[in-house]
Structures are given as C-alpha cells and as structure tokens.
Amino acid sequence: MKKLSLPPGTRDFLPQEVRSRNRLIQIIRNNFELFGFSPIETPSFENLSTLLGKYGGESDQLIFKIINSGDFLKKQKYKFEHLSQLGLESGQKFIEEQLNFRSFLVEISEKALRYDLTIPLSRYVAMHRDKIHFPFKRYQIQNVWRADNPQKDRFREFCQCDADIIGSKSLWQEIELIQLYDKIFSDINLPVIIKINHREIISGLADIAKIKDYWRDFIISLDKWDKIGSHNVWKEMIRRGIPPENLKKIQGVFNIDGNFEEKLNKLSAIILSSEKGKKGVEELRFFLKIIKKVCLDWVDLQFQISLVRGLNYYTGIIFEVNPKGIYLNSIGGGGRYDNLTGIFGLPNISGVGISLGLDRIHLAKKMMNPKSEDHTPLRVLFLHFGEEESLYANRLISKLRKKVIPAELYPKAEKVKKQFQYAIKQKIAFVISVGKKEIVKNKIRIKDMSKTTEEVEYDCIEDFIKEITL
Amino acid sequence: MKKLSLPPGTRDFLPQEVRSRNRLIQIIRNNFELFGFSPIETPSFENLSTLLGKYGGESDQLIFKIINSGDFLKKQKYKFEHLSQLGLESGQKFIEEQLNFRSFLVEISEKALRYDLTIPLSRYVAMHRDKIHFPFKRYQIQNVWRADNPQKDRFREFCQCDADIIGSKSLWQEIELIQLYDKIFSDINLPVIIKINHREIISGLADIAKIKDYWRDFIISLDKWDKIGSHNVWKEMIRRGIPPENLKKIQGVFNIDGNFEEKLNKLSAIILSSEKGKKGVEELRFFLKIIKKVCLDWVDLQFQISLVRGLNYYTGIIFEVNPKGIYLNSIGGGGRYDNLTGIFGLPNISGVGISLGLDRIHLAKKMMNPKSEDHTPLRVLFLHFGEEESLYANRLISKLRKKVIPAELYPKAEKVKKQFQYAIKQKIAFVISVGKKEIVKNKIRIKDMSKTTEEVEYDCIEDFIKEITL
C-alpha cells in the first residue's frame, strides 16, 4: 500500500485548529460588519480568461488550471486524424504545435482556481454593476490557491479576508481601513506594525532620477531595504545596471530618517520637481494629519519609503502589516487602486482595500503563545449501561442540549474504565452516571473531571444545569 | 469586450445570500457541537490517486482534475523527441498513445478537487490513526466540486455539512443522528421527511430472488419507485431483463404498505430465508423500538424499502431527507458503512454519518418563504460635512463600534440628498447629523429611517446607544 499523503503545500486541520481559526474568522467578520462592510462570495474557480494576465510577472504560472471535463482530447484527436489525411507532414506539424505549452493549455483548460480575492471582486463589480449602489463596501473571506513553492508560512491553499470600498476617492477610506486593522488586531490581541507608503512617491522618484527604463530593477532592489539595508539597496541598484549619476538625483532618500512627519518633510524637498511625487506626499500629509487625531488603540504606524507591495494594480497609499517581535512574512496588506475594473470594461472606478492572511495570523498567534488556549467546548458524557438506562439518559441529554450544553451518550455498554478513558481523551468536563439504582432513587451522579473528588449526587438535571451555566 | 461570465454551475453570492447561508451554517455547526462532534478540515484538492475509483460507476469523470504546475508537457516533449529519433513510426505511435485519455491524464494531472467529504475523512482517519481516539466523532463543513450537468438544484460547487462517528458499531449512533437531524431542521424551521431503509434488506431481496447478476439493474429500477410507482418499477426490471420468475419470489415487496412497523412485519415474512435480510430487519426493529421512545419534535420518519442511496459504500441503515411540500431533490442523507477506511489500509472500522446539503436547504427555505427574512445588521451612518465634523463623528463612531453597533462615516462631503440615498439603498437604520451647530451645542441629531418623523435631538451618543440596545 502506498503511503498516504497530501499534495505539497496543503494541510489537514485538527479539531482544535479549526476551532481557533474559526474564532479568528469570527472576530474579523464581526469587525468587517461593524465598519459597514457587506459580505459577498465568488466561485472557487473562474474562467481561465478572467484570471490570466492580471497579476503581472510570472504569476500566470502560479494559477492552478482545471482540466475540461469529459474526454478533453476528443477535439485534438479529431484534428489530428483530419490533418493526418492531408499527409504525414501536416499531421506531425500539428503534433508539434500541440506540444507547445500555451496553445495546448487553452485547448484543454477553461477554468482556474481563484488566485486572490481582488480580481474576482473586479469581475463581480463589472458584472453586477447594475445591481450595485456605489460606494460599494464589500468583504470576502474565502480560500485562494497558488502554485508557489511551499514554505513554513507559505501554503498552496490559504484563506484571505478582504475588505474593499469601491467607487470613492475619499482618503477618509484609508483612515477607516487603518482603524479597522487597529480594532481587529486589538481584538485578536496580536501586536503589529503597519508600514505605509504611496505608489506615486515611488513613481515620482523614478521620474526624477529618469530611470523609467530600469523600473523593474528599481522596484525589486527597493523591496529588499528591510532585509539588506539602504546602503546595500543602493549597491544592488548599481549592480543591476542603474547609472549612479541618475541615482544621485534621489540620493537623499537613502538616508531618510526620523518619525513619519520628519521623513515626509525631508522627502518633500527631494521630490518637489515631480507632480506625481508631490501628490503622493500631499496625500500622505492629509492621512497623517487625520490619523493623529482619530483614536488608534493598538497598531504602530511607520512611513516606509521602500514599501512597494508587489501587485501591479496599486496607484495610491499602500499598507503592509507585520507582527511585532516574531520573524514572519507580512500578515496583511492593501492600498488604493484607481482602475481595477477597467480591465473588465468598467473604467474610472477607484477602489481601496485591505487584506488579512488568516493562516499567517493564526501562525503568528501560535508562535507568540505556543500553549494556546483550548477552545474545546465544555462537554458532558453519559455512561452507557444498557437499554433502559440509555433511554433515561437520552431524555436528560435532550434537556442539556436545549440549554446549549453539548452532551452525548457513550456509544455502547463497555467497561466503565474504557468509557472514562474516552472522556479523558476527549477532554470531557463532566461524566454522568445514571444506573438502575439512580433511576429508582430518581437521582443522577456527576463526576467533575477537572477535580480528583468523588462523584456528586444531584436531585435532578436542572440543578446541575443551573450550577454550570451560572 | 467579451461578455463577463462565470463557469457553468457556479454562482456569485450577494450580501443577503451570504448572510442567510452563514446563519444556516451557524445553526448546523452549533448543533454538531451540541451533539459532541469536533470539527476537522481537509484540503480542497487531494492526490488524484486518493479520489479515483472510489465513487463507483462513471463518477471518476465527474471529478475535477488540476493540471500539474510548470510546463507539464516538458516530459512529453522529451519523450517525443527521443522516440522520433528512433524513426517516424515510433514517434507517431507515441502521439497516438498520448491522445488516449486515461494514460495522458495521469501524466499531466496529479491532483483533483474534493468530490465529497467522506473519502477525505477515510483518508484522514487512516493517515492520522495514531492521533485519533475512537470512537471518533467529527464534523466537516466544506465545499465539494462535481462536474455534473448543472440544474436548478444541482451545482458544480456546493457546500456539504457532514457529521460521522467512526469506530463504533452501536445502533445508538443511528438514533443520535436522527435526533441531530430533528434538532437541526427544527432550528432551521424546515419541515422534512426522513426516509429509512437498510442496505442488507436490498441485498437480501436480491439473494432471495437470485438476481445477483442483475444487481445494477435491480438497484437502478428500485431507485425510481418514488417517481414512477412500484408497478412500473416491476415493469422496468423486466424490461431490463430480470427474469419474472425470479422477481416473483419477492413479489410481496411491491405491494408493501402500512406504517413503519407493519411494513417491517410484512417484509420479515418475505425475507426470512436470507441471513443478510434478517439482520437488516432486526436492526431496523431495534432502531424503531428506540426511536419511538426518544423525543423527536420535528421530523417524520418513513420506512421506504426502495431507498437505495447511490454511493457504493453503505452497508447498514441508510437515511434520506426530503423537504415536505416542495419539489426538490434530497437535502440530506447518510448511513452506515462498515469498511470505508479499508481502502486506505485500515480495515474493520465501522462508521456511520449524515450529510446536509447547504445549498439545497437554502433553496428549500427560499422556496417555502420567498420573502425571506432580511439578516442585514442594523447600521448607523454619519453624514459627512467636512473635516472638523468628520473628526468629531469619527470619535462617536468608535464609541458605537465598541458597543457592537455597526457604524460608518459617509465617504465624502457630497449633497445631503445623495448621502441619504446611500442610506436608503444600504438599508441603513439610523442617519446621524453632527454639523458645526451641533458640535457647539454638544448635541447630535438622529433620523430613524424606518419612520417618517423628523430628526430627533439627543444630548449624547450614550443616550442613543442605550435606546437602541434595550
């Protein structure tokens, strides 16, 4: 027999994990609702054409494609036979074409698994535009799939929690989203830093340095700031071929320091000659002015000039959330995108949103508190003695359940010791015995499994219910 | 621009649908916990080899397969070029092989989407056997995918809610599961009939009639009883080639009537000569004796000799749930299977479980009550006048949210009429105005959108909170 296994990058979740993940989801969902967002859900797979070419770079390869149902080669076979009749050469040419990855792919696959929640949102907004009243505040908590190389904190199936506002350019949305992060991470009890930047500042710097041709290299190098430091970012840029004389025009950026406001002031002087850059700085100034006056209880904000956020579609303020004091990739991020639904035929709709990575938040909680709380509900087990006793127990169990106390009968009349073992393994809180003697006396005996004391006799189940629901 | 669409058989869910679906899930989840079940989750895709050949019949074709990541044709290309060198003929032979569905499939796909929750459960139990303490009571609420032909109540992506007990042969589990159904459908407020049968009774009848060679035809015909009536089932069997003289040995079955007990008594006389059949009748007798004595508040039970339940793996009592008074396919089902983990190398583990189809339950609720309740939470909107007012509003909003009242600021200072339009479209309950005048007077003005009355002045937000949380 082959050893049983799961596909790489996927996981089974044991009961305690499902319970603690569901608790996190509940906190996030409640806060999304508190902030006025409404839930939507989209299918796990979309048309391949909806997803391909939307994520930039090599991302298309990371999208999981689904093979068309039925005999997907039938059409191929037909074509082959047809061409073969025209002569061996054309038949062979056809085969060679078929062995070309992209053209063949389109023939055998029309669907692909959701890669993120943002492109499906854009498709949703463009498709249901007539039913939507803008500004549209939606949240979505669903799995996404990516054929990335699996790592400690990178999975091929993971859960994203997104909240977006579509159809409003107001910067008060960015303020609200930071307050939303603040409330969520406070409720989750996970200390975090939120890094802030503006995409137009990065574009502005590239404009000033006149290094548009090196945009990719510029971005990729900048993104390494946190890991290798600004000095090495400079070196990396030069190594990648960006002319030093160009870089010198924005040299000041590499030594920028101070608090949010001080950094903004210094940057302001450097970026003066770029309209885009100025707009970015102004928006961040407004953001900073307001955010200082609203109440934030929990998160730390940090202006970080090197923050890029890989995805292509951002155009305004961008965020990234990192847990404090542990080494982990970002657990959330987001920002403003000005033309996301344009690709689906609905131009000039501005959106802004945040995302939370449930799996990494869960991991961060576990890393910060390895002996995490147990969310197993308090359960009651009735011992199984025989038919008469079980029927009696069954009625008491129904009473407990009506009072929302999980209760069950042990499946069969096995040795009492074995039944108690089950109770211990299942972390059951109370074991109740109702034997023939108790039925006659109209009593029940209850053992509190958290104590070493003996069983206690109760007059009726109601007394016990009263005691444990106090 | 191509018209936007979704893959056939999939759906977007609008806010109200997500909310009412989540409410159903919450009811089901709470009851699973109340009955002592613990949640697990398994990955959306499993190794193809885990799923293929497990569901009988043509089901393998209904499993969605995922194309291997990377250039899945690289290996093929290499093979082709290698063989081509040996001569055109072997190259061509290779191509023909490749155009053979099954052999090619295995080469380009190693993963497939979950088809149900039962086979993943078996794989889970076999794989984690060392960590599991039996009897193992697990529940699982996750999506499954089937490449079926889409219909009104048949989707290609749908949500199943399963509860199973693994590792106990006690018939008290069947009793518990019926009680679980009873509680869930009572809480959901959906009237249902649960049909009951026993797999060994069907096998026993086939044994007595000596029609084992016609097993498939026997089952398929039997399954149509509900739709075409027993007389036509008899005809259908004969049409399919089952010899009438054999069928006559079980003729009585086709006229069986009466209540559960009467049907059992009549059947008992017919099936006497089959050991399997006798066992089935005895188990149902015990089931009936107990179920009559435990309290069922909601469901109707019906013994239905023609109930088959398509899946191959059932071996004992089987159930099927149908909504009363509306025409819809079954919304739930289940039964006992005696050797499900055997296929994964862990033999002789008996299990029994039930499943609920969330999508059909949701549909049934909508059919029974087209003007379904609105689960939109009560929301409060603050009008947006300007920066100073918005900052003031922001503090009040935080206070409301701390009291778990959804509240938000309209994104920007647009015409008041437009802001009210948003409130109406979003079904917002209260609109609050705090202008410069109110700030000076230290008051707030609140409009109850459900009433035609004017705005009311409040001294502070706390008074308002007290009023609406009463």
Side-chain angles (χ1 to χ4, degrees):
Chain A
M1 179 115 210
K2 228 182 92 185
K3 204 174 162 329
L4 291 170
S5 70
L6 292 179
T10 68
R11 299 154 289 166
D12 281 332
F13 293 110
L14 305 174
Q16 187 161 338
E17 288 171 305
V18 177
R19 288 204 180 99
S20 56
R21 285 168 63 91
N22 281 345
R23 256 175 62 99
L24 290 176
I25 290 175
Q26 203 51 52
I27 290 173
I28 293 168
R29 183 190 301 279
N30 288 347
N31 278 301
F32 285 168
E33 294 272 358
L34 263 190
F35 279 68
F37 291 86
S38 297
I40 69 161
E41 283 180 13
T42 62
S44 294
F45 47 75
E46 296 266 355
N47 291 325
L48 188 58
S49 57
T50 301
L51 304 185
L52 283 187
K54 305 300 192 300
Y55 299 102
E58 309 287 286
S59 304
D60 279 359
Q61 287 186 26
L62 304 184
I63 294 173
F64 282 114
K65 290 111 192 153
I66 296 170
I67 301 179
N68 296 341
S69 350
D71 187 347
F72 56 86
L73 289 174
K74 210 182 246 169
K75 215 167 74 185
Q76 261 55 33
K77 240 186 248 177
Y78 172 78
K79 265 204 228 164
F80 172 65
E81 275 153 21
H82 181 71
L83 280 168
S84 285
Q85 284 165 8
L86 298 178
L88 203 55
E89 214 168 291
S90 31
Q92 210 183 348
K93 196 172 150 244
F94 161 78
I95 296 306
E96 272 160 23
E97 265 170 28
Q98 292 309 302
L99 288 172
N100 175 287
F101 180 73
R102 281 188 185 269
S103 67
F104 188 62
L105 177 62
V106 177
E107 302 259 3
I108 65 167
S109 169
E110 288 163 354
K111 296 178 287 293
L113 289 176
R114 196 162 50 213
Y115 181 81
D116 75 348
L117 302 180
T118 308
I119 292 297
L121 170 63
S122 316
R123 194 264 313 141
Y124 179 99
V125 170
M127 201 164 134
H128 303 290
R129 61 185 87 175
D130 302 331
K131 277 179 263 170
I132 293 174
H133 189 81
F134 296 98
F136 177 53
K137 296 173 74 173
R138 89 85 175 79
Y139 74 87
Q140 192 169 354
I141 301 176
Q142 290 193 284
N143 281 349
V144 302
W145 295 268
R146 297 186 185 174
D148 259 325
N149 279 333
Q151 292 173 21
K152 180 194 79 167
D153 58 356
R154 182 171 288 158
F155 308 102
R156 290 188 154 186
E157 170 172 43
F158 56 99
C159 178
Q160 284 198 328
C161 315
D162 280 23
D164 289 77
I165 303 124
I166 311 289
S168 164
K169 292 194 174 178
S170 162
L171 287 171
W172 281 88
Q173 307 305 340
E174 276 84 340
I175 302 288
E176 280 264 304
L177 290 172
I178 295 293
Q179 288 186 294
L180 178 52
Y181 266 148
D182 187 64
K183 179 86 166 50
I184 289 173
F185 286 108
S186 161
D187 286 357
I188 288 175
N189 193 23
L190 185 69
V192 296
I193 296 167
I194 302 182
K195 297 175 187 166
I196 316 268
N197 198 11
H198 197 295
R199 267 293 179 109
E200 297 284 56
I201 289 177
I202 309 177
S203 304
L205 290 175
D207 284 354
I208 291 171
K210 297 196 169 68
I211 49 174
K212 266 198 169 170
D213 293 350
Y214 301 95
W215 176 245
R216 228 181 99 86
D217 294 299
F218 183 58
I219 293 290
I220 291 173
S221 313
L222 209 54
D223 206 24
K224 295 184 178 168
W225 190 303
D226 257 12
K227 277 186 198 137
I228 63 176
S230 64
H231 181 66
N232 288 316
V233 168
W234 177 274
K235 281 208 249 176
E236 169 94 11
M237 287 182 182
I238 289 170
R239 197 184 60 74
R240 282 173 174 269
I242 304 181
E245 56 276 20
N246 292 55
L247 277 183
K248 275 191 183 133
K249 292 176 191 159
I250 53 168
Q251 195 165 14
V253 167
F254 291 85
N255 309 315
I256 218 157
D257 60 359
N259 63 24
F260 204 136
E261 198 163 0
E262 289 159 355
K263 277 187 191 166
L264 262 186
N265 288 338
K266 286 177 189 164
L267 182 66
S268 190
I270 300 167
I271 219 161
L272 212 63
S273 64
S274 155
E275 278 310 309
K276 277 188 198 168
K278 263 165 68 184
K279 190 192 151 210
V281 170
E282 270 162 35
E283 289 197 0
L284 279 183
R285 266 195 210 290
F286 177 83
F287 172 83
L288 182 63
K289 183 177 76 176
I290 303 293
I291 207 82
K292 276 166 125 178
K293 289 181 187 163
V294 303
C295 75
L296 289 187
D297 294 331
W298 189 259
V299 299
D300 282 348
L301 296 188
Q302 215 171 72
F303 174 36
Q304 184 165 328
I305 192 107
S306 63
L307 180 67
V308 175
R309 298 293 301 159
L311 292 170
N312 277 332
Y313 45 69
Y314 292 119
T315 52
I317 292 180
I318 48 180
F319 322 112
E320 187 172 288
V321 187
N322 288 277
K324 268 189 203 165
I326 50 172
Y327 186 74
L328 201 64
N329 272 311
S330 68
I331 57 176
R336 181 169 288 277
Y337 38 87
D338 266 342
N339 194 19
L340 197 60
T341 57
I343 43 175
F344 295 116
L346 184 64
N348 301 322
I349 303 261
S350 184
V352 58
I354 56 170
S355 182
L356 295 122
L358 183 80
D359 301 77
R360 286 196 190 150
I361 291 173
H362 190 230
L363 194 61
K365 284 289 290 178
K366 274 205 287 195
M367 286 166 76
M368 306 220 20
N369 183 14
K371 284 184 185 172
S372 64
E373 323 121 69
D374 187 354
H375 299 298
T376 311
L378 182 135
R379 274 162 73 186
V380 176
L381 178 75
F382 281 73
L383 297 183
H384 194 129
F385 295 115
E387 198 177 303
E388 189 197 335
E389 297 91 331
S390 296
L391 272 169
Y392 193 90
N394 191 286
R395 277 189 286 275
L396 302 182
I397 288 171
S398 292
K399 284 186 182 180
L400 286 168
R401 287 174 183 160
K402 281 202 175 124
K403 296 291 178 187
V404 201
I405 300 160
E408 66 200 284
L409 175 70
Y410 189 82
K412 61 190 281 200
E414 290 180 312
K415 278 186 186 149
V416 171
K417 198 179 158 191
K418 200 172 170 197
Q419 302 194 35
F420 265 101
Q421 264 170 10
Y422 173 82
I424 292 164
K425 293 273 179 188
Q426 297 295 321
K427 296 182 186 166
I428 278 168
F430 297 96
V431 173
I432 300 190
S433 329
V434 193
K436 287 217 167 60
K437 234 187 335 188
E438 283 75 29
I439 297 180
V440 171
K441 288 201 295 175
N442 206 12
K443 305 258 178 194
I444 52 177
R445 280 190 301 142
I446 300 181
K447 165 113 179 90
D448 183 339
M449 297 295 284
S450 67
K451 294 178 182 158
T452 52
T453 52
E454 288 290 297
E455 292 172 335
V456 178
E457 212 171 67
Y458 280 74
D459 275 342
C460 61
I461 199 78
E462 285 76 12
D463 285 357
F464 170 66
I465 292 174
K466 233 178 264 170
E467 197 177 304
I468 63 167
T469 51
L470 270 184
Chain B
M1 182 118 207
K2 228 182 94 184
K3 204 174 159 336
L4 292 170
S5 69
L6 292 179
T10 68
R11 297 154 292 165
D12 281 331
F13 294 108
L14 305 173
Q16 189 162 337
E17 289 171 306
V18 177
R19 288 204 181 98
S20 57
R21 285 168 62 90
N22 280 345
R23 257 175 61 99
L24 290 176
I25 289 176
Q26 204 51 54
I27 290 173
I28 294 168
R29 182 190 300 282
N30 288 347
N31 278 301
F32 285 168
E33 294 273 355
L34 264 189
F35 278 69
F37 291 86
S38 297
I40 69 161
E41 284 180 12
T42 62
S44 293
F45 47 75
E46 296 266 353
N47 291 326
L48 189 57
S49 57
T50 301
L51 303 185
L52 283 187
K54 304 302 192 297
Y55 299 103
E58 309 287 286
S59 304
D60 280 359
Q61 287 187 27
L62 304 184
I63 295 173
F64 282 114
K65 290 108 190 157
I66 295 169
I67 302 180
N68 297 341
S69 348
D71 187 347
F72 57 85
L73 290 173
K74 212 181 243 168
K75 217 166 73 183
Q76 260 57 30
K77 244 186 247 175
Y78 171 78
K79 265 204 227 163
F80 172 66
E81 274 153 21
H82 181 72
L83 279 168
S84 286
Q85 284 165 9
L86 298 178
L88 202 55
E89 214 170 293
S90 30
Q92 212 183 346
K93 196 173 150 241
F94 161 79
I95 296 306
E96 274 160 19
E97 267 170 27
Q98 292 309 301
L99 289 172
N100 175 288
F101 180 73
R102 280 184 188 274
S103 68
F104 189 60
L105 176 63
V106 178
E107 301 259 2
I108 64 167
S109 170
E110 287 164 353
K111 296 178 287 292
L113 289 176
R114 197 162 51 211
Y115 181 81
D116 75 348
L117 302 179
T118 308
I119 292 297
L121 168 64
S122 316
R123 194 266 311 142
Y124 179 99
V125 169
M127 201 165 134
H128 303 290
R129 61 186 87 175
D130 301 332
K131 277 179 265 172
I132 293 172
H133 189 80
F134 296 99
F136 176 54
K137 296 173 74 172
R138 89 84 174 80
Y139 74 87
Q140 192 169 355
I141 301 176
Q142 290 193 284
N143 281 349
V144 302
W145 295 267
R146 296 185 187 174
D148 258 324
N149 279 333
Q151 291 173 21
K152 181 194 78 168
D153 58 355
R154 182 172 290 156
F155 308 102
R156 289 189 155 184
E157 170 172 42
F158 56 99
C159 177
Q160 284 198 329
C161 314
D162 280 23
D164 290 76
I165 303 124
I166 311 288
S168 163
K169 293 194 173 176
S170 163
L171 286 171
W172 281 88
Q173 306 305 340
E174 276 85 339
I175 302 288
E176 281 263 304
L177 291 172
I178 294 294
Q179 288 187 294
L180 178 52
Y181 266 147
D182 187 64
K183 180 86 166 52
I184 288 173
F185 286 108
S186 163
D187 285 357
I188 288 176
N189 193 24
L190 185 69
V192 296
I193 296 166
I194 303 182
K195 298 173 184 165
I196 314 266
N197 197 10
H198 197 296
R199 268 294 178 109
E200 297 282 57
I201 289 178
I202 309 177
S203 304
L205 290 174
D207 284 353
I208 290 171
K210 296 197 171 68
I211 50 175
K212 265 198 170 167
D213 292 349
Y214 302 95
W215 176 245
R216 228 179 99 86
D217 293 299
F218 183 59
I219 292 290
I220 291 172
S221 313
L222 209 53
D223 206 24
K224 295 184 179 170
W225 189 302
D226 257 11
K227 277 185 196 138
I228 63 175
S230 64
H231 181 66
N232 288 316
V233 167
W234 175 275
K235 282 209 250 176
E236 169 94 13
M237 286 182 181
I238 289 169
R239 197 185 60 76
R240 284 175 174 267
I242 306 182
E245 57 275 21
N246 292 56
L247 277 184
K248 276 192 183 132
K249 291 176 192 159
I250 53 169
Q251 194 165 14
V253 166
F254 291 84
N255 308 313
I256 217 157
D257 60 0
N259 64 23
F260 205 138
E261 198 163 2
E262 289 158 356
K263 277 188 191 165
L264 262 186
N265 287 339
K266 287 175 190 167
L267 182 67
S268 190
I270 302 167
I271 217 160
L272 212 64
S273 64
S274 153
E275 277 309 309
K276 277 188 197 167
K278 263 166 66 185
K279 189 189 150 212
V281 170
E282 270 162 34
E283 289 197 0
L284 278 184
R285 265 195 210 289
F286 177 82
F287 172 82
L288 182 62
K289 183 176 77 177
I290 303 293
I291 208 80
K292 277 167 124 178
K293 290 182 187 164
V294 304
C295 73
L296 289 187
D297 294 330
W298 188 260
V299 300
D300 281 348
L301 296 187
Q302 214 172 70
F303 174 35
Q304 184 164 329
I305 192 110
S306 62
L307 179 68
V308 174
R309 298 291 303 156
L311 292 171
N312 277 332
Y313 45 67
Y314 293 118
T315 51
I317 292 179
I318 48 181
F319 322 112
E320 187 172 288
V321 187
N322 288 277
K324 269 189 204 166
I326 50 173
Y327 186 74
L328 201 65
N329 272 311
S330 68
I331 57 176
R336 180 170 290 276
Y337 38 87
D338 265 343
N339 194 20
L340 196 60
T341 56
I343 43 175
F344 295 116
L346 184 63
N348 301 323
I349 303 261
S350 184
V352 59
I354 58 169
S355 182
L356 295 122
L358 183 79
D359 300 77
R360 287 196 189 151
I361 292 173
H362 189 231
L363 194 61
K365 283 290 289 178
K366 275 205 286 195
M367 287 166 76
M368 309 228 8
N369 183 14
K371 284 184 184 173
S372 62
E373 323 121 70
D374 186 357
H375 300 297
T376 312
L378 182 133
R379 274 161 74 185
V380 176
L381 178 75
F382 281 73
L383 297 182
H384 194 130
F385 295 114
E387 197 178 306
E388 189 197 336
E389 298 90 331
S390 296
L391 273 168
Y392 194 89
N394 190 285
R395 275 189 288 274
L396 302 183
I397 288 170
S398 293
K399 283 185 182 179
L400 285 168
R401 287 174 182 160
K402 281 200 175 126
K403 294 293 177 185
V404 200
I405 300 160
E408 65 199 285
L409 175 69
Y410 189 82
K412 62 191 281 199
E414 289 179 311
K415 280 188 185 145
V416 171
K417 199 182 157 188
K418 201 173 170 195
Q419 301 194 36
F420 266 101
Q421 265 170 8
Y422 173 82
I424 292 163
K425 292 273 180 190
Q426 297 295 320
K427 295 180 185 166
I428 278 167
F430 298 95
V431 173
I432 301 190
S433 329
V434 194
K436 288 217 167 60
K437 235 187 335 189
E438 283 74 28
I439 297 180
V440 171
K441 288 200 297 177
N442 207 13
K443 306 258 176 192
I444 52 177
R445 279 191 302 143
I446 300 182
K447 165 111 180 91
D448 184 338
M449 298 294 283
S450 67
K451 294 178 185 160
T452 52
T453 52
E454 289 291 295
E455 292 172 334
V456 180
E457 210 172 69
Y458 281 74
D459 275 342
C460 62
I461 198 78
E462 284 76 12
D463 284 357
F464 170 67
I465 292 174
K466 231 178 264 168
E467 197 177 302
I468 63 167
T469 51
L470 269 185

